[in-house]
Amino acid sequence: MTDASQEAQAPAPFGALTTAATGAVAASGWTLGMALAEALPRLYGVKRDPLVEELILALALAVQRGELELPLAGTAPEGIGAESVAAGLWPEGHRAALERSPLLDAGREASPAGPAPLVHTAAGGLAWRRWRDQLDDVLAQLRQRALSPLEPALPPEHRQRLCDTACRRGALDSQQVRAVDALLSQRLVLLGGGPGTGKTTTVVQMLAAALEARPDLRVHLAAPTGKAATRLRQAIRERGDRLPDDLAERCMALPCTTLHRLLESRGDGFARDRRHPLALDLLVIDEVSMLDLALMAAVLDALPQQAQLLLVGDPAQLPPVSPGAVLIAIEDDHRRASLGEAMVQLATPYRNEGAIAAVAAQVRNGGGARLERSLAALQPRDNLHWLRCEPPRLPEAPLERLRAHQERLRELAMAFDPSQLSAAQALLNELEACVLLTPVRSGSWGVEALHRRLLGEAAERGAAAWPLGTPVLCSRNLAEQNLANGDVGVVVRPGRETLLLFSDDTAGPRLLHPARLPGAEPALALTIHKSQGSQYQEVVVLLPRSERWEGRLLYTALTRARQEAWLVTPPLPPWAPAPGS
């Protein structure tokens, strides 16, 4: 097909985008993408091309999902019109239109408006110039750290002795020992693995070995969210019992905060940077799958060149909400190879979590038809239950669990006494007993509708009007309150005034007036993204159909559960192809 015939058959800009389609994702992505598609040709003084406009929209939606690159092959991504696909224009017609467009950097002379905003990636995809350049810079810095040995180097026999000690104390396997050795010899280590593969046990032994090798080591533990930082601190304490008392005390005393707090967030940036670097020798970041490109760049900017960086996470988890899934980008085969021995992947499962673990592993490995067979074969005694019903209905069994959790929270909140630490701790512990997770905020199975169902009219009012025992989500970083985005508290009423009880590992549980928590949200139900970094005894997962099946959503949701999980889907589950497709 010639260029002329391609242009003649191209659909009108976005003509195939229906109201139903736009409702399937956050409206902001579509709005921004369509605005860019209209504005960029005008700013660069070029003729509008409907196929290039579809690519711009698709790239904007990809960035909204945390993906910096849009593949120009395979199944048409969101944003490519159904009419274009039906006319056989995807992908060859879109590629040809892109190559003709001055909006693509193809070695042409720069426009007066500046360099072309679109670029090809090394893999042949499409990316925004700004994000591609920043990603390349971050990966180059990580590569430099990975290939730079630790100085001064430890004698080989000393390293071997420390590795042998860590292996004996922690009952480590060969990959875990390799991770310990890597931290004793390299400036960058990336420790990956699924749930139950011993990441935390390994990190504790790595820290112990590093502190034994260099007793004056300045170490900081961090995570992208408050909940993830709290979980990291608790996990380090739980695993410290395998260490000698002095080492256990040192590990448990290590400071642990959110990255925003560590970097001293100022709203428009960070106080810590290359001119005011962190006074650290080793920075450990957990839940690195949640780390977006801008935050990773800020960390590298503030971390001294000679300091070590240990990144810990599960690459199968959801990418960050903001653009740039750094961990996923690193997982590319070529980039993995360029990091040498810095990457250590743990694969041996050490926790038997029954059907939850088995199904999560299947999702992690991309099982589609096999996933449905495994779910259909579940038995009542299994710790995972699959129920199907048509939204907005919900099955009664998981609803009963949620109502029982609500009642237990209410009873503990009524019995709360500020003078009794045990009462406060019991109430805060109950917050981790049960949660309802969903991928969406709006719609009949969205967080907003679920809270209206669970809380009634009070859901629409502020935290001061919510029933006793209602979990409360802090939705932004509030340094002045010592709270981070993702922290969860609970509504109490110790006297006549409604207050919010939050955990504080440094000062103990504390009370806060609702007026001091702007943007507070109920937290009986959370989006799956918001649940990252947390764990619950029991999880109810609602998974409605969407335009695009994302296995990471189900994987992340299931791995939040410690003991039991309920998966609720429509009769036609989201991983099944639509009829006639």
Side-chain angles (χ1 to χ4, degrees):
M1 184 180 289
T2 65
D3 290 349
S5 61
Q6 286 173 345
E7 291 177 359
Q9 292 189 28
F14 315 113
L17 303 179
T18 65
T19 303
T22 57
V25 297
S28 59
W30 289 84
T31 303
L32 176 61
M34 294 171 78
L36 286 170
E38 184 279 327
L40 287 175
R42 178 166 42 81
L43 290 172
Y44 282 81
V46 301
K47 183 181 177 182
R48 293 180 66 175
D49 185 315
L51 296 185
V52 174
E53 291 180 357
E54 288 188 344
L55 287 172
I56 291 172
L57 172 60
L59 184 56
L61 292 171
V63 169
Q64 187 193 35
R65 296 191 298 268
E67 302 164 7
L68 298 184
E69 179 175 349
L70 181 73
L72 297 178
T75 304
E78 273 185 303
I80 302 301
E83 292 178 11
S84 295
V85 176
L89 297 175
W90 172 263
E92 295 301 331
H94 290 81
R95 285 183 190 153
L98 184 63
E99 294 300 327
R100 293 193 302 269
S101 175
L103 297 177
L104 176 73
D105 183 354
R108 305 180 184 91
E109 185 177 344
S111 159
L118 301 174
V119 293
H120 278 310
T121 65
L126 183 65
W128 296 112
R129 172 188 293 278
R130 171 197 168 191
W131 293 116
R132 193 279 311 269
D133 289 351
Q134 189 174 38
L135 179 62
D136 286 350
D137 181 60
V138 162
L139 293 175
Q141 291 187 60
L142 291 174
R143 188 160 49 247
Q144 182 183 14
R145 287 181 180 273
L147 302 179
S148 301
L150 187 62
E151 296 178 352
L154 288 175
E157 62 275 11
H158 190 187
R159 270 172 51 196
Q160 186 61 54
R161 188 163 57 252
L162 289 168
C163 287
D164 291 344
T165 300
C167 181
R168 186 179 65 256
R169 286 175 182 158
L172 306 184
D173 63 30
S174 59
Q175 283 297 92
Q176 292 172 307
V177 173
R178 185 180 149 224
V180 175
D181 185 58
L183 193 66
L184 295 173
S185 58
Q186 298 172 197
R187 288 200 287 122
L188 174 70
V189 182
L190 295 102
L191 181 65
T197 54
K199 293 192 297 295
T200 305
T201 296
T202 307
V203 168
V204 169
Q205 296 301 329
M206 293 169 80
L207 288 171
L211 289 168
E212 284 185 298
R214 293 187 286 165
D216 58 346
L217 198 68
R218 298 170 298 174
V219 184
H220 196 101
L221 311 176
T225 68
K227 285 191 294 184
T230 299
R231 287 296 311 155
L232 173 60
R233 187 186 298 110
Q234 291 171 345
I236 294 289
R237 289 174 179 172
E238 290 167 2
R239 303 299 194 283
D241 59 359
R242 296 187 178 183
L243 302 176
D245 289 346
D246 59 332
L247 268 179
E249 288 177 11
R250 292 187 66 189
C251 285
M252 288 188 281
L254 293 174
C256 183
T257 66
T258 64
L259 283 168
H260 284 81
R261 190 168 297 164
L262 172 66
L263 297 173
E264 299 176 22
S265 174
R266 300 179 307 191
D268 60 340
F270 299 100
R272 294 291 185 172
D273 55 21
R274 199 161 299 177
R275 292 171 299 171
H276 306 95
L278 297 166
L280 291 178
D281 301 308
L282 169 61
L283 174 59
V284 181
I285 303 178
D286 195 20
E287 297 288 355
V288 74
S289 63
M290 302 168 66
L291 208 60
D292 62 61
L293 182 56
L295 190 52
M296 185 76 250
V299 168
L300 294 174
D301 193 44
L303 193 64
Q305 194 62 30
Q306 293 305 314
Q308 289 180 280
L309 179 60
L310 169 57
L311 303 176
V312 185
D314 181 353
Q317 297 278 355
L318 278 172
V321 176
S322 298
V326 176
L327 187 58
I328 293 176
I330 293 170
E331 284 292 308
D332 173 84
D333 289 343
H334 173 72
R335 289 168 179 154
R336 281 176 65 98
S338 73
L339 295 176
E341 296 298 309
M343 295 196 73
V344 181
Q345 189 72 20
L346 305 181
T348 304
Y350 291 99
R351 272 199 326 251
N352 180 12
E353 293 173 333
I356 294 174
V359 171
Q362 224 168 44
V363 177
R364 194 176 200 267
N365 297 326
R370 287 184 296 123
L371 167 63
E372 183 145 353
R373 286 197 296 271
S374 297
L375 290 171
L378 291 171
Q379 299 299 310
R381 65 180 179 274
D382 288 324
N383 64 354
L384 174 61
H385 316 278
W386 181 31
L387 304 174
R388 284 176 279 189
C389 70
E390 202 67 61
R393 286 184 55 249
L394 284 176
E396 195 57 35
L399 272 180
E400 287 177 2
R401 301 298 185 103
L402 283 164
R403 292 184 184 120
H405 174 54
Q406 268 186 286
E407 180 59 24
R408 178 67 177 153
L409 283 169
R410 189 186 70 82
E411 292 172 353
L412 289 169
M414 288 180 65
F416 170 71
D417 183 340
S419 65
Q420 296 182 8
L421 180 62
S422 60
Q425 201 55 59
L427 178 53
L428 292 169
N429 289 344
E430 180 64 22
L431 291 173
E432 297 184 354
C434 186
V435 73
L436 194 156
L437 300 180
T438 173
V440 292
R441 290 191 61 85
S442 58
S444 58
W445 278 5
V447 165
E448 295 164 356
L450 291 166
H451 277 130
R452 286 193 295 271
R453 185 166 186 165
L454 293 167
L455 298 175
E457 293 181 359
E460 305 294 339
R461 302 196 289 271
W466 296 338
L468 276 179
T470 300
V472 179
L473 176 70
C474 176
S475 60
R476 62 187 72 170
N477 292 310
L478 299 172
E480 68 280 7
Q481 310 297 351
N482 200 29
L483 290 174
N485 183 2
D487 285 348
V488 176
V490 60
V491 175
V492 294
R493 198 170 294 124
R496 294 184 177 181
E497 191 174 35
T498 296
L499 298 173
L500 308 178
L501 176 68
F502 278 88
S503 177
D504 189 324
D505 283 350
T506 57
R510 62 196 185 92
L511 295 167
L512 190 71
H513 193 278
R516 300 179 67 187
L517 194 69
E521 301 175 13
L524 285 163
L526 295 173
T527 63
I528 297 172
H529 267 103
K530 280 288 187 184
S531 74
Q532 286 185 274
S534 301
Q535 283 197 309
Y536 303 87
Q537 300 303 321
E538 189 170 10
V539 170
V540 178
V541 184
L542 303 185
L543 216 58
R545 285 191 65 83
S546 64
E547 290 293 311
R548 182 173 178 265
W549 161 240
E550 176 55 89
R552 291 177 190 272
L553 283 168
L554 178 55
Y555 176 80
T556 301
L558 290 178
T559 53
R560 300 310 92 205
R562 286 189 186 132
Q563 294 182 356
E564 193 163 15
W566 301 76
L567 173 61
V568 183
T569 71
L572 184 67
W575 56 81
S581 64

